[in-house]
């Protein structure tokens, strides 16, 4: 089971804070540092000092880390034109020496679009399919050849399809809870399917849908990695769990139901139940980015038991 650290910087984090978390992620032996892609905070927080851009952040971290994978859950398809996004991600992959993973979603948070003057189209999933076709098509086009695309939303003509990533293939992540279209999109484009904040039964059901869609698309179900994103709140005793839950404005019982909360042994047991349904990677949503002792505890008492 791979454990990855997943942050939500729109809730309030500077680049320096994210750098501290990324360095701890690397030093403590976690597999990857991922971040959300949002420009507006959610819930009862002020979001200060304000949003940081996902790919600018990852470009900086690419030069200041050496081992960990870097990526997004998920880049919002509404924020960037796909041709420009392909250039940005390829460049960050070069800057990291080939450590980028690319999660792309349709975009969903209308308020942040309104706040920053970003169009919020109705046909988001149809656009997402075209975006994935374009980004992956640009990366896969051999050097010296041209790429063209004629879609309903995007048209590219004789693109040189440059630059290329450092990796021969950047892993592509697709995720979500949609019952029909999301599994089909994942089957067509994804190397990994991520289930965001789903319980065991919902995750099992969605993984099965993606497996069926993969087979229908002519792929083996095992071609994809299956993963979960879950909020983490771990403590060495009940008091520490309660303190960490209070720090992020959540209740312990709710976190134990909907996330990975409790003692290290409780969390290891629950991760094991996700492994039983086929999940091989967990993105630990860390909401208090100043509590690096939390990461150390997870590394030494949870990750160490997972092998």
């Amino acid at each position: 089971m791979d454990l990855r650290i997943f942050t939500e910087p729109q809730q309030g984090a500077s680049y320096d804070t994210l750098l501290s978390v990324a360095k701890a992620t690397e030093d403590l032996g976690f597999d990857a540092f991922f971040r959300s892609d949002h420009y507006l905070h959610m819930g009862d927080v002020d979001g200060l000092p304000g949003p940081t851009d996902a790919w600018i952040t990852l470009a900086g971290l690419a030069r200041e880390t050496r081992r960990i994978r870097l990526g997004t859950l998920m880049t919002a398809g509404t924020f960037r034109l796909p041709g420009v996004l392909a250039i940005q991600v390829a460049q960050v992959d070069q800057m990291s020496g080939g450590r980028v993973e690319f999660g792309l979603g349709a975009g969903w948070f209308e308020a942040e679009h309104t706040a920053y003057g970003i169009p919020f189209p109705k046909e988001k999933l149809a656009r997402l399919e075209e975006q994935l076709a374009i980004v992956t098509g640009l990366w896969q086009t051999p050097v010296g050849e041209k790429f063209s695309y004629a879609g309903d939303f995007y048209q590219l003509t004789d693109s040189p399809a440059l630059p290329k990533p450092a990796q021969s293939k950047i892993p592509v992540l697709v995720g979500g809870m949609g019952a029909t279209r999301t599994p089909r999109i994942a089957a067509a484009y994804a190397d990994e399917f991520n289930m965001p904040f789903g319980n065991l039964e919902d995750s099992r059901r969605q993984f099965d849908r993606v497996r069926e869609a993969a087979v229908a698309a002519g792929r083996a179900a095992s071609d994809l990695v299956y993963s979960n994103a879950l909020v983490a709140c771990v403590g060495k005793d009940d008091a520490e769990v309660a303190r960490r839950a209070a720090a992020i404005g959540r209740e312990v019982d709710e976190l134990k139901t909907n996330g990975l909360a409790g003692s290290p042994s409780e969390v290891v047991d629950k991760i094991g139940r996700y492994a039983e349904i086929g999940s091989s990677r967990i993105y630990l949503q860390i909401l208090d980015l100043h509590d690096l002792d939390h990461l150390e505890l997870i590394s030494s008492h949870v990750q160490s038991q997972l092998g």
Side-chain angles (χ1 to χ4, degrees), residues 112-182:
E112 67 188 333
H113 295 74
T114 302
Y116 286 97
I118 303 167
F120 190 68
K122 291 182 179 179
E123 319 88 344
K124 290 183 287 296
L125 280 176
R127 288 175 181 268
L128 174 63
E129 290 190 77
E130 291 196 9
Q131 291 160 350
L132 285 164
I134 291 166
V135 172
T136 58
L138 287 166
W139 291 339
Q140 293 165 6
T141 299
V143 174
E145 296 185 15
K146 300 291 182 69
F147 176 82
S148 296
Y149 183 86
D152 293 331
F153 306 104
Y154 305 102
Q155 297 81 39
L156 286 74
T157 303
D158 292 336
S159 172
L162 297 172
K164 299 303 181 195
Q167 299 174 85
S168 59
K169 186 180 191 310
I170 290 179
V172 173
L173 289 74
V174 170
M177 294 174 279
T180 304
R181 202 163 186 179
T182 296

Side-chain angles (χ1 to χ4, degrees), residues 87-105:
I87 293 170
Q88 292 172 320
V89 178
Q91 184 177 6
V92 176
D93 194 52
Q94 292 174 357
M95 293 168 70
S96 72
R99 293 183 286 123
V100 159
E101 303 194 7
F102 177 56
L104 185 64

Side-chain angles (χ1 to χ4, degrees), residues 7 44-45 53 68 80 85 99 102 140 154 160 170 180 205 249 263 292 299:
T7 62
D44 189 23
V45 297
D53 182 82
I68 50 174
R80 301 165 183 88
L85 182 59
R99 293 183 286 123
F102 177 56
Q140 293 165 6
Y154 305 102
I170 290 179
T180 304
R205 185 181 304 112
S263 68
L292 298 183
S299 173

Side-chain angles (χ1 to χ4, degrees), residues 2 9 28 69-70 83 86 91 93 107 133 136 143 145 148 166 169 176 192 205 207 229 258 284 291-292 298 301:
D2 294 333
L28 293 169
R69 309 289 292 177
L70 300 167
Q91 184 177 6
D93 194 52
T136 58
V143 174
E145 296 185 15
S148 296
K169 186 180 191 310
E192 177 178 338
R205 185 181 304 112
F207 288 169
N258 298 313
L284 301 170
D291 184 4
L292 298 183
I298 295 170
H301 288 78

